[in-house]
Structures are given as structure tokens and as C-alpha cells.
Amino acid sequence: DAGITQSPRHKVTETGTPVTLRCHQTENHRYMYWYRQDPGHGLRLIHYSYGVKDTDKGEVSDGYSVSRSKTEDFLLTLESATSSQTSVYFCAISAGGLDEQFFGPGTRLTVL
Amino acid sequence: QKEVEQDPGPLSVPEGAIVSLNCTYSNSAFQYFMWYRQYSRKGPELLMYTYSSGNKEDGRFTAQVDKSSKYISLFIRDSQPSDSATYLCAMSRPNYGGSQGNLIFGKGTKLSVKP
């Protein structure tokens, strides 16, 4: 998985609780992305980062925030989880904005 | 109309068959086209990355882009049971969403190759 780890790999939580997912890379790539994957919708971009402390919204950013204080780490936070955020979350990295994106193994999140 | 359309299948073929997977898109600004393979409960892995119209070959895989028809294809020759996976097309354009390179994915086609 191109030096990308995600933690936790599985999480079950309750509605209304905060959740933070972590993506860690060892490739020193500039760009990092968070996607969610749902049946019938495919992969959709939540947020992305184009450098330390530089982030922007993707297609489905409502209810999510991100932070990137170091090149290697990109955090995705659900401030107050809802059942609609039950999904598989993938982190991806790329060296440049138009370069290939490499994906992590995913985090399976269930919000009860 | 969705920006990227991909038939979800499932598609089942016998071992050794030629497989054709396709996506259509509506936005002529897309310039970069990718195919990813995703095994069950794994992250997508990049198979092919093309920029221009025409064909690109890599082993048993051939990616084809027809920008005039807004149509891309992935051909798999001599398909193997290990090719059983979901295949995702993806595309991007410069300055999409305020930054370069953000990908738009098709929903994926699930392929099963039977021994």
C-alpha cells in the first residue's frame, strides 16, 4: 500500500460521539486525500491537503473536518458522528496534484 | 447526468476470456484517465494511467481513451481468476475544485472470472 497506514482499521461508535481517523504516510508525498466509499456511490472525495496546514473541501465535506500538522499525517474528524457516516474511509497520497494517487487499506466505520 | 458513468455489473466470464470494461463521461475538460483495481476489503490499486487519446498497453491490460466520444475502456486479455475484483475508472482535470488533480470515480464494475 505504498507506505500508507490507516488507523484504526475498524471502529464501531455511537451517534453523537466524536471520531478521529488517522492516515500516516512514509513517502513524503505532498498531497493527501480522504475518500469515503459507499455502495451505489463509489468513491467520493471528502477533503484533501496540498501541504502542511493547507487543506480544502471535496465533494462531500459536510460533517467532516481535517488537519495536517506534519507532512506524514492527515487526520479526519467527525465532530458528532451520524449513522449516515457509516462507511469505508480511504486515505490516498500523491506526489503532485496530477500524479497517481495511491490508496491506503481503509477504515471501516460503523455508527450505531 | 452523472459526470462519470460506469456499469456496476456484476460481470462473470470464463477463464481465458477477453474482458471489456467501460466508462463514459460528460465533461470534455477531463484530461487524465485512470483504472484502479480493488479486491474485496482492500484499497484501490492503480492499474493504468493515461493522458491522451489512444491505447496504452501493459501486459494483459490495455487502456483505451476516445475523447471525441467521451468513452474509456479497459481490456483484459486471457483473464484469470486472480483478476476477479472491482474495477474503477477515474478521471481528473486541471484546476478541478480549486486544485489540480482531484479525481472523479465511476461506481466500479465487479468482475468475476470463473476457472
Side-chain angles (χ1 to χ4, degrees):
Chain A
D1 291 322
I4 310 168
T5 57
Q6 292 185 231
S7 58
R9 294 293 313 279
H10 301 271
K11 186 171 182 67
V12 179
T13 191
E14 295 189 349
T15 298
T17 59
V19 176
T20 295
L21 308 182
R22 180 180 183 237
C23 178
H24 178 79
Q25 61 146 329
T26 58
E27 306 296 323
N28 201 36
H29 281 354
R30 180 183 173 192
Y31 286 77
M32 299 185 76
Y33 309 81
W34 277 108
Y35 291 88
R36 60 178 290 174
Q37 188 173 37
D38 305 287
H41 290 279
L43 276 161
R44 293 179 291 173
L45 182 66
I46 304 172
H47 280 280
Y48 63 95
S49 169
Y50 46 97
V52 174
K53 298 193 188 301
D54 292 323
T55 65
D56 207 346
K57 297 178 180 180
E59 180 187 359
V60 290
S61 59
D62 287 347
Y64 301 95
S65 63
V66 289
S67 66
R68 191 167 177 203
S69 58
K70 298 184 290 185
T71 297
E72 58 266 34
D73 289 325
F74 192 32
L75 303 180
L76 176 71
T77 297
L78 291 64
E79 301 289 348
S80 177
T82 67
S83 58
S84 64
Q85 294 175 311
T86 292
S87 187
V88 181
Y89 291 86
F90 288 100
C91 174
I93 64 173
S94 67
L98 294 172
D99 292 329
E100 300 96 304
Q101 292 186 21
F102 300 96
F103 284 78
T107 294
R108 190 169 296 269
L109 176 67
T110 302
V111 183
L112 301 175
Chain B
Q1 182 186 7
K2 295 280 188 183
E3 281 198 285
V4 179
E5 300 274 7
Q6 182 177 11
D7 187 336
L11 180 63
S12 182
V13 301
E15 182 175 355
I18 296 174
V19 176
S20 172
L21 304 166
N22 312 294
C23 288
T24 59
Y25 61 96
S26 57
N27 193 328
S28 58
F30 285 131
Q31 296 183 18
Y32 305 90
F33 304 92
M34 284 137 272
W35 285 96
Y36 283 84
R37 177 175 64 195
Q38 185 176 22
Y39 291 113
S40 180
R41 294 183 173 265
K42 300 288 187 182
E45 55 178 330
L46 183 68
L47 275 178
M48 303 286 279
Y49 184 18
T50 58
Y51 170 71
S52 59
S53 285
N55 293 356
K56 181 178 181 179
E57 189 173 317
D58 184 1
R60 296 186 295 111
F61 298 91
T62 299
Q64 190 174 78
V65 175
D66 182 348
K67 289 186 178 180
S68 62
S69 300
K70 300 190 184 68
Y71 189 88
I72 68 171
S73 299
L74 178 71
F75 298 96
I76 307 174
R77 290 184 299 281
D78 187 26
S79 56
Q80 302 295 309
S82 59
D83 295 326
S84 298
T86 296
Y87 290 80
L88 307 165
C89 65
M91 48 199 78
S92 71
R93 64 181 194 237
N95 298 317
Y96 177 79
S99 179
Q100 295 190 60
N102 290 344
L103 296 178
I104 301 295
F105 282 85
K107 294 180 181 179
T109 299
K110 188 170 184 179
L111 171 68
S112 177
V113 181
K114 303 296 186 184

